Amino acid sequence: MKPLLASTLAILCLAATPSHAQTRKTNAPAQILEITTADTALVLLAKPGAPVLFRHYGAKTNDPRAFLNKGYRDDLEAYPALGGANFANLALSLTHADGSLTTELVYAGHDTRALDDDRQETIVHLKDTLYPLTVDLHITAFKTENVITQRAILTHHEPAPIRVENIASASLPLQAGSYYLTHFHGAWGHEMQLTEEKLTPGDKVIENTRQGVQTAMSDNPSFMLALDHPADETSGEVYAGALAWSGNFKIIFSPDELETLHITAGMNPFASARILAPGESLQTPDMILTYSATGRGQASRNLHDWARRHSLAHGDQPRPVLLNSWEGAYFNFDEKTLTTMIDNAAALGIEMFVLDDGWFGNKYPRDNDRAGLGDWQVNNKKLPRAIAYLADYAVSKNLRFGIWIEPEMVNPKSELAEQHPDWIIKSPGRDIPQRRNQWVLDLANPAVQDFVFKVFDDTVSLSPNITYIKWDANRPILSPGSTHLSAGKQTHLWQDYVTGLYNVYDRVRAKYPNITIQLCSSGGARVDYGALKYHDEFWTSDNTNAVDRVLIQYGANMIYPPIATASHVSASPNHQTGMTLPLKFRFDVASSGRLGMELQPKDITGDDLAFAKTAIQNYKQTIRPLVQFGDLHRLVSPYANDGRAALMYVAKDKTQAVLFAYNLHHFLPRGFTFAIKPRGLDPAKTYEVTDLNLNPKTQKSVFPGNNKTCTGDYLMKAGINLAIRLPHDSAVLYLVEKAAKK
Ligand code: DGJ
């Protein structure tokens, strides 16, 4: 690792004394530490021997020295610990080796270095005034994407172990009159449901306390926050945050009596105290933050750009259109079932086939979810010519081949559970509760980490033609206990599970940098930026019903990028909901994310077959580059309860765009239309507008201006009217720049 360079940070040294009443006075002047991106700034006030104070996070100003002025709150520490004058929303609480509960952190210097053209890291060094204990705040500014991340690293050299009760990634005090919190609540099949509420006095907490795995199922570790007004797509100040952590998390929002909102985010301290030996360090995950002065649309685009460039595997590469075998075959297949699916997929123009659950286990065949999990040998009866035959077959049909694993879990009815009972998470002397007939392996144990890595390694080695892995995880930790951890360190399990998982991910990516990996946990129960950086995409939900998917994907794409949002056309009636939907609606919804299919392709016949081929071709040729690499503009929210939704993607150079519109359940009388105002176009450009994916029955466009040209200015001001009058009508319009007609 390169040594840190001397500070190049914009530091303004004025001989002014900060107004902080509790600040220990030293002769050294206070300095402004301004950490900036293209449009935003995080401003701290630092004075040797005194706490580092928070001054500002938001739009960048042209006069950072003014933050030295008096008149700011003098009790807002950048990283408040239990001690001194801090009492609310602490970032750090611990018990020192001598039993003392208090920690008082003061400024001890900082370093700054450019990591590359885009990233600048500032490390703010804090030290306790009494004990040999330090906290380094690692703050990285991603200039182009207007994102700032922060994590904390605690180290101590006390004579005996300390006990860390709580260590947050970041603590942020924001000041405004009122605050509107958007968070993403959910459940299985119902993930990322957008909920907006005005914050009132008292703590508002979004968290996962004790699932350990599947921690994003009921609330995602992310949020948006609008100041003074409910969030709007194009106006107003909006913050967005996401914690890069795949374990229990806690984000607290506390408005205080002085109209400051304290946001504290980090690993959940619940039953997670850590015993830290002298010389040991403890590192938190990154808290990811962005700010937009022009509404939440820009906040999402900042995060999408950032993710594609910095926190998603292969963020610059197009994703293939795939067929996944799950809803088409479940556990009931043999070689012929799969080769027929591959044949049909090839005929449709699909680019990859993924074999889901059910391909392994011999002593305990994986013919249902009650047996075989953990026994990663190819099932000889179902697949006598093994995986290599299938993978080669797919490649011979010009398809890539992918395969499913769930390496962190085990069925009680498996050879693995018989051989390694000590690898299973359990509380000693008690029965292990089951969920989906399975148990969780103890990833805190390095031997289990080796096993999980080997499952991945051995699976990929089944054929050189395997280029995609779907990594699933289908139950939470219940009744926690680890035979690997000592009696005094059982509370380490929650965090050690996640760091053990990341250790395996690191090894996987070191050996397989090019493989595509899907992040799956009964759908979207592990969608977070901690895991996502190792993956190419996530399985958004087990609910493949397109009407529900409009809401789930709309919520997911507030924070996570559409390129990673696996979105599959499934059968009608839908297997989860029983709802019957036109194939066009199902395609038009799935095409607004990473398009795939999750059905038995031989069941698509007649007009539908021709339509499916055209829709896949349209996606590959026209829609994919825009959805996967363009800018998302949300136009009409499905959460507005008027039965409609619309969104569009605009190419970075604004020469092309694609607009999706859905009638979710509303009936419009004849003559009425769905009026939509596009956004993000270049007003000076002239666009030709084409209705793609025409209804296979009518072959008629729902857009009166189909194939005509008009300016971006006209489109954005006058809008477009679509005759999607019936429930589950939909439209996909393609806009491309044309030379203006004379
Ligand atoms: C849960 C996943 O979300 C599904 O897509 C499928 O892979 C099943 N597990 C298989 O058991």
Side-chain angles (χ1 to χ4, degrees):
M1 220 205 271
K2 279 194 204 154
L4 294 182
L5 301 175
S7 171
T8 55
L9 188 69
I11 299 169
L12 300 151
C13 302
L14 292 186
T17 309
S19 57
H20 187 273
Q22 282 77 36
T23 301
R24 272 157 224 83
K25 299 227 164 38
T26 72
N27 291 330
Q31 320 168 50
I32 290 294
L33 273 54
E34 192 196 26
I35 295 157
T36 61
T37 66
D39 307 311
T40 72
L42 170 67
V43 183
L44 306 175
L45 185 85
K47 183 174 160 67
V52 174
L53 299 182
F54 175 89
R55 278 290 186 255
H56 172 72
Y57 176 51
K60 187 160 74 178
T61 74
N62 67 1
D63 191 7
R65 284 175 312 168
F67 288 109
L68 284 168
N69 294 342
K70 293 188 194 317
Y72 289 95
R73 280 188 65 171
D74 59 8
D75 59 349
L76 301 179
E77 289 194 24
Y79 199 75
L82 174 58
N86 300 315
F87 57 87
N89 248 12
L90 302 170
L92 182 67
S93 58
L94 56 86
T95 307
H96 292 277
D98 64 3
S100 168
L101 297 177
T102 62
T103 300
E104 294 189 23
L105 296 173
V106 295
Y107 176 68
H110 69 273
D111 301 284
T112 297
R113 61 176 176 168
L115 301 176
D116 54 35
D117 285 357
D118 196 37
R119 296 179 300 155
Q120 176 150 298
E121 183 185 48
T122 301
I123 304 175
V124 180
H125 305 288
L126 306 171
K127 64 173 188 197
D128 187 73
T129 50
L130 272 185
Y131 296 91
L133 180 145
T134 60
V135 173
D136 284 345
L137 300 180
H138 288 242
I139 306 171
T140 305
F142 298 79
K143 290 186 190 159
T144 322
E145 299 86 12
N146 286 313
V147 165
I148 286 178
T149 62
Q150 179 176 306
R151 66 179 188 274
I153 301 178
L154 181 150
T155 311
H156 82 95
H157 295 280
E158 297 190 19
I162 65 169
R163 181 181 166 92
V164 182
E165 308 288 350
N166 178 29
I167 177 165
S169 299
S171 162
L172 200 66
L174 300 176
Q175 281 167 300
S178 52
Y179 308 91
Y180 291 82
L181 173 69
T182 299
H183 61 110
F184 307 96
H185 192 69
W188 177 82
H190 203 57
E191 296 87 341
M192 293 299 287
Q193 299 294 302
L194 184 151
T195 308
E196 184 171 34
E197 60 201 271
K198 184 173 179 179
L199 293 175
T200 52
D203 285 359
K204 168 77 191 177
V205 179
I206 57 174
E207 66 177 335
N208 189 304
T209 319
R210 55 191 166 270
Q211 285 197 291
V213 180
Q214 306 209 297
T215 52
M217 178 89 88
S218 49
D219 243 313
N220 193 269
S222 61
F223 64 89
M224 287 202 177
L225 192 76
L227 299 192
D228 294 324
H229 307 281
D232 181 81
E233 285 299 319
T234 56
S235 68
E237 290 191 274
V238 174
Y239 294 85
L243 187 72
W245 181 242
S246 310
N248 299 339
F249 68 90
K250 185 166 194 168
I251 307 178
I252 314 170
F253 302 86
S254 304
D256 71 13
E257 65 284 4
L258 299 174
E259 296 193 333
T260 300
L261 174 67
H262 302 262
I263 306 171
T264 311
M267 299 180 289
N268 201 315
F270 176 80
S272 296
R274 287 200 75 91
I275 310 303
L276 209 60
E280 267 188 343
S281 291
L282 180 58
Q283 173 164 301
T284 74
D286 276 321
M287 184 63 198
I288 301 148
L289 293 162
T290 190
Y291 164 84
S292 158
T294 53
R296 70 179 171 198
Q298 189 57 50
S300 296
R301 291 188 288 278
N302 290 351
L303 290 176
H304 298 168
D305 287 347
W306 173 80
R308 278 190 298 245
R309 186 160 173 192
H310 298 288
S311 203
L312 183 68
H314 315 119
D316 58 350
Q317 292 171 27
R319 277 35 177 173
V321 178
L322 64 84
L323 170 69
N324 181 294
S325 68
W326 183 239
E327 290 191 20
Y330 295 105
F331 295 105
N332 313 317
F333 57 81
D334 59 15
E335 197 178 86
K336 182 73 186 142
T337 323
L338 302 178
T339 52
T340 305
M341 286 178 97
I342 291 170
D343 288 341
N344 292 327
L348 281 168
I350 285 173
E351 298 164 310
M352 179 157 71
F353 177 74
V354 179
L355 172 56
D356 209 283
D357 200 351
W359 58 268
F360 48 89
N362 285 304
K363 181 175 174 191
Y364 302 108
R366 180 74 171 168
D367 291 335
N368 50 53
D369 64 17
R370 294 188 296 280
L373 196 57
D375 300 346
W376 298 101
Q377 306 85 32
V378 183
N379 182 296
N380 303 325
K381 211 163 131 208
K382 280 182 183 169
L383 303 173
R385 284 183 278 187
I387 297 298
Y389 173 77
L390 286 173
D392 291 352
Y393 189 83
V395 168
S396 75
K397 301 285 171 179
N398 280 328
L399 263 68
R400 288 173 55 187
F401 186 83
I403 192 163
W404 178 97
I405 55 173
E406 191 183 0
E408 301 157 68
M409 307 280 165
V410 60
N411 279 131
K413 202 168 163 190
S414 67
E415 293 182 77
L416 182 69
E418 288 169 356
Q419 286 156 13
H420 291 289
D422 54 320
W423 283 5
I424 295 158
I425 289 182
K426 59 174 177 286
S427 185
R430 302 190 188 279
D431 289 341
I432 318 170
Q434 290 181 31
R435 280 282 176 91
R436 209 194 185 211
N437 310 303
Q438 65 191 61
W439 294 327
V440 185
L441 297 176
D442 179 7
L443 266 167
N445 183 343
V448 175
Q449 293 168 25
D450 288 347
F451 170 79
V452 173
F453 173 74
K454 193 168 180 311
V455 172
F456 191 101
D457 202 21
D458 289 351
T459 305
V460 176
S461 307
L462 292 171
S463 162
N465 283 325
I466 292 177
T467 57
Y468 176 105
I469 293 284
K470 174 175 176 177
W471 182 315
D472 206 347
N474 285 306
R475 64 155 276 174
I477 292 175
L478 296 166
S479 197
S482 165
T483 53
H484 171 73
L485 296 169
S486 64
K489 290 190 175 174
Q490 289 294 309
T491 50
H492 290 204
L493 176 62
W494 306 107
Q495 292 171 14
D496 284 2
Y497 186 94
V498 183
T499 49
L501 177 69
Y502 290 170
N503 175 300
V504 177
Y505 285 161
D506 278 330
R507 290 166 67 185
V508 160
R509 275 304 180 198
K511 185 158 181 188
Y512 299 104
N514 297 325
I515 201 157
T516 310
I517 313 180
Q518 185 187 73
L519 175 62
C520 175
S521 180
S522 307
R526 196 186 254 168
V527 178
D528 65 76
Y529 276 120
L532 204 50
K533 77 172 187 208
Y534 299 97
H535 295 79
D536 299 68
E537 61 177 31
F538 55 89
W539 180 225
T540 318
S541 177
D542 275 350
N543 184 349
T544 54
N545 181 34
V547 171
D548 295 327
R549 274 304 192 100
V550 170
L551 287 106
I552 294 169
Q553 291 168 199
Y554 191 92
N557 294 153
M558 285 274 160
I559 302 292
Y560 303 101
I563 187 176
T565 307
S567 176
H568 294 183
V569 175
S570 60
S572 180
N574 182 268
H575 292 186
Q576 288 84 21
T577 64
M579 194 178 214
T580 304
L581 291 169
L583 187 64
K584 172 173 165 56
F585 186 85
R586 287 178 275 148
F587 258 105
D588 288 357
V589 172
S591 297
S592 70
R594 196 283 281 130
L595 175 65
M597 298 187 86
E598 185 97 12
L599 43 59
Q600 187 46 264
K602 70 172 171 356
D603 294 344
I604 305 179
T605 55
D607 289 347
D608 276 352
L609 185 59
F611 174 82
K613 283 183 190 173
T614 306
I616 290 169
Q617 179 60 13
N618 284 340
Y619 186 82
K620 291 194 296 192
Q621 194 170 308
T622 308
I623 301 172
R624 172 160 56 194
L626 295 165
V627 168
Q628 299 193 3
F629 302 104
D631 284 337
L632 170 64
H633 293 265
R634 291 177 289 260
L635 308 176
V636 179
S637 170
Y639 290 89
N641 286 332
D642 65 354
R644 304 180 306 170
L647 59 147
M648 66 189 289
Y649 295 92
V650 181
K652 293 280 176 195
D653 65 4
K654 296 182 187 284
T655 56
Q656 298 177 67
V658 61
L659 185 151
F660 298 90
Y662 311 112
N663 186 342
L664 299 176
H665 55 71
H666 199 73
F667 170 70
L668 291 175
R670 197 169 292 283
F672 284 72
T673 50
F674 181 3
I676 301 167
K677 292 224 169 85
R679 291 184 185 136
L681 300 171
D682 181 344
K685 287 194 192 322
T686 297
Y687 297 91
E688 182 181 62
V689 185
T690 308
D691 190 351
L692 297 176
N693 293 358
L694 291 183
N695 185 321
K697 303 266 176 312
T698 64
Q699 289 298 328
K700 277 200 192 135
S701 173
V702 294
F703 179 50
N706 191 28
N707 297 323
K708 301 206 175 88
T709 58
C710 44
T711 63
D713 186 62
Y714 166 85
L715 286 165
M716 291 192 289
K717 288 178 180 162
I720 56 172
N721 296 308
L722 296 175
I724 47 174
R725 300 187 310 105
L726 299 175
H728 312 136
D729 271 356
S730 56
V732 181
L733 300 186
Y734 172 57
L735 293 74
V736 61
E737 185 185 11
K738 285 275 142 106
K741 289 205 171 116
K742 295 259 155 60

